[in-house]
Amino acid sequence: IVSKIPYVDKITMALAKKILIISPAWIGDIVISQALFKYIKRQHAETIIDIVAPRWSHELLATMPEINEIFDLPIAHGQFQLKKRWQLGRSLRKKAYQQAIILPNSWKSAIIPLAAGIPLRTAWLGEMRFGLLNDWRALDKKKYPMMIQRFLALGAAKTIPDKSIEWQLYKPYLTVNPKNINSSLKNLSLVIEDKPLLILCPGAAFGPAKRWPADYFAQIANAKKAEDWQVFLLGAPSDGAIGHSIQELSGNACINLIGKTSLLQAINLLAMASLVISNDSGLMHLAAALRRPLIVLYGSSSPEFTPPLSEQAKILYLKLSCSPCFERSCPLIHFNCLKQLKPNLVLTTINELIKL
């Protein structure tokens, strides 16, 4: 166990149903999975929910009060590592979970619950996992077009597959401690000025087909800087190149924090934003769950599958005939789904959103 979050007392824990969740491997998917945790708790408040998740995600999961214990998955994304998965599952046998819910669709993700001897193992069928699951569901994409719907459906019994869950009731919602915000600012040597704060999130781990052009972000930065806004760039170390380009093109109009924050620090900074502009990325889902005013730029992906789950978000999506292609890089080379989404449209949308 690498972290423990107190949620219920020991007496309640002894009586409650115990569920082990196998976590997704992407920030946005983990944010969306909180809907399932909230749904489970609403059905039975005393249910104990533990989760197996990558170490980098623990700071995010620790902000979700529904989670009891977090177990580290010591395996890099995409690696099989059958022996390590089996050993981890065996180490969890003593926990006596009654059910496992496996959120990834991969075959390997279902190994740990089997090794843990969990009697009810629930998931979408995925990669033909008949031997690993005993509560498998066949996904109807028309019935469940959104990821949040698919996660929530796994929380309902298989005997009532037609039961409709009102997903709007379970939108992710993250709260932050003001003390943690102040600590993050101190550790990053940041001063938040008495002016609106714009945070630009120009990266997207999936690939360049989801990234709005750097010069467009630079134009937005310059426009808001001219209106006396403070502008931050936020992202992972892998987004360093586009962050550098934005700074060059904008004449260093931004405070560049790309690759300089922990995940928890990024959450704390997003919580202070007057406005966030983001590609379809994990940081976008964090901003939505923090209920910050948000503009999301969609290119190769679809807002019908993983939209920002917030009433304070505006989606900009051109719906070209070639999109969504769900490719990492534009198969037609032109990247028109994002290149034709011009900065003027974003600036107009900012004015509409800020007036709300």
Side-chain angles (χ1 to χ4, degrees):
I1 302 170
V2 296
S3 53
K4 183 176 179 69
I5 306 165
Y7 189 78
V8 288
D9 60 38
K10 292 182 179 179
I11 296 175
T12 302
M13 288 179 72
L15 298 174
K17 182 177 181 181
K18 298 184 71 174
I19 297 177
L20 180 68
I21 304 290
I22 305 300
S23 170
W26 299 91
I27 291 177
D29 296 357
I30 292 174
V31 172
I32 294 171
S33 69
Q34 191 195 22
L36 172 62
F37 313 152
K38 293 170 71 174
Y39 176 73
I40 292 171
K41 284 291 188 180
R42 178 167 290 194
Q43 305 312 302
H44 184 198
E46 294 183 348
T47 296
I48 304 304
I49 303 174
D50 293 349
I51 190 165
V52 174
R55 182 176 296 274
W56 60 260
S57 69
H58 293 189
E59 289 181 328
L60 168 57
L61 289 164
T63 67
M64 301 180 184
E66 301 84 8
I67 300 296
N68 174 60
E69 287 187 306
I70 307 170
F71 299 95
D72 181 37
L73 179 67
I75 301 167
H77 179 56
Q79 290 186 352
F80 191 76
Q81 296 285 344
L82 174 60
K83 184 177 180 180
K84 283 188 176 180
R85 292 177 191 273
W86 190 262
Q87 289 174 336
L88 176 56
R90 294 288 293 183
S91 72
L92 295 175
R93 282 203 166 207
K94 60 183 179 293
K95 294 290 184 178
Y97 294 108
Q98 296 166 311
Q99 182 182 17
I101 299 178
I102 302 119
L103 297 181
N105 290 324
S106 64
W107 193 90
K108 61 182 178 289
S109 63
I111 294 172
I112 292 170
L114 180 68
I118 300 174
L120 183 64
R121 301 182 299 279
T122 303
W124 297 112
L125 187 55
E127 297 178 349
M128 303 301 290
R129 301 185 285 185
F130 294 106
L132 300 176
L133 308 175
N134 55 13
D135 180 29
W136 57 267
R137 320 288 176 86
L139 177 61
D140 182 343
K141 293 184 179 181
K142 291 184 178 180
K143 182 177 180 180
Y144 303 116
M146 299 170 65
M147 180 176 286
I148 187 173
Q149 294 172 314
R150 297 176 188 182
F151 284 175
L152 285 170
L154 293 176
K158 190 175 183 179
T159 54
I160 48 173
D162 294 325
K163 182 178 180 181
S164 177
I165 299 174
E166 296 183 38
W167 61 266
Q168 295 87 347
L169 300 176
Y170 304 100
K171 292 179 181 179
Y173 181 59
L174 304 179
T175 58
V176 298
N177 188 324
K179 292 182 179 179
N180 291 338
I181 292 178
N182 292 332
S183 177
S184 292
L185 292 174
K186 181 179 179 180
N187 290 337
L188 294 168
S189 300
L190 287 175
V191 176
I192 300 299
E193 301 175 18
D194 187 18
K195 58 181 66 175
L197 172 61
L198 169 64
I199 296 183
L200 302 177
C201 304
F206 185 74
K210 293 177 71 172
R211 297 178 194 142
W212 205 43
D215 59 318
Y216 290 5
F217 274 110
Q219 290 180 51
I220 300 298
N222 281 330
K224 303 317 288 182
K225 188 77 172 180
E227 296 174 9
D228 201 31
W229 285 53
Q230 191 172 18
V231 184
F232 288 177
L233 298 179
L234 200 59
S238 57
D239 303 322
I242 191 171
H244 180 72
S245 295
I246 293 170
Q247 284 291 71
E248 279 193 338
L249 293 164
S250 68
N252 294 313
C254 314
I255 295 176
N256 187 4
L257 299 170
I258 289 177
K260 299 177 181 178
T261 70
S262 68
L263 181 55
L264 182 58
Q265 288 171 335
I267 292 170
N268 290 331
L269 293 177
L270 287 168
M272 295 187 297
S274 306
L275 173 67
V276 179
I277 300 176
S278 178
N279 300 317
D280 176 18
S281 68
L283 291 179
M284 175 274 281
H285 288 288
L286 290 174
L290 290 164
R291 299 295 192 267
R292 304 318 305 147
L294 171 66
I295 295 173
V296 188
L297 312 162
Y298 279 86
S300 65
S301 56
S302 169
E304 295 181 2
F305 181 48
T306 53
L309 300 171
S310 169
E311 292 78 16
Q312 297 192 59
K314 291 279 190 179
I315 293 170
L316 296 182
Y317 179 51
L318 296 180
K319 299 182 181 180
L320 300 185
S321 60
C322 56
S323 60
C325 67
F326 296 106
E327 298 290 340
R328 294 180 183 271
S329 188
C330 176
L332 301 177
I333 311 301
H334 54 55
F335 290 90
N336 283 343
C337 59
L338 286 171
K339 282 188 176 179
Q340 292 181 5
L341 203 166
K342 300 295 185 180
N344 284 341
L345 176 58
V346 175
L347 291 170
T348 299
T349 305
I350 291 174
N351 293 333
E352 294 172 354
L353 185 60
I354 297 302
K355 288 178 183 178
L356 294 179

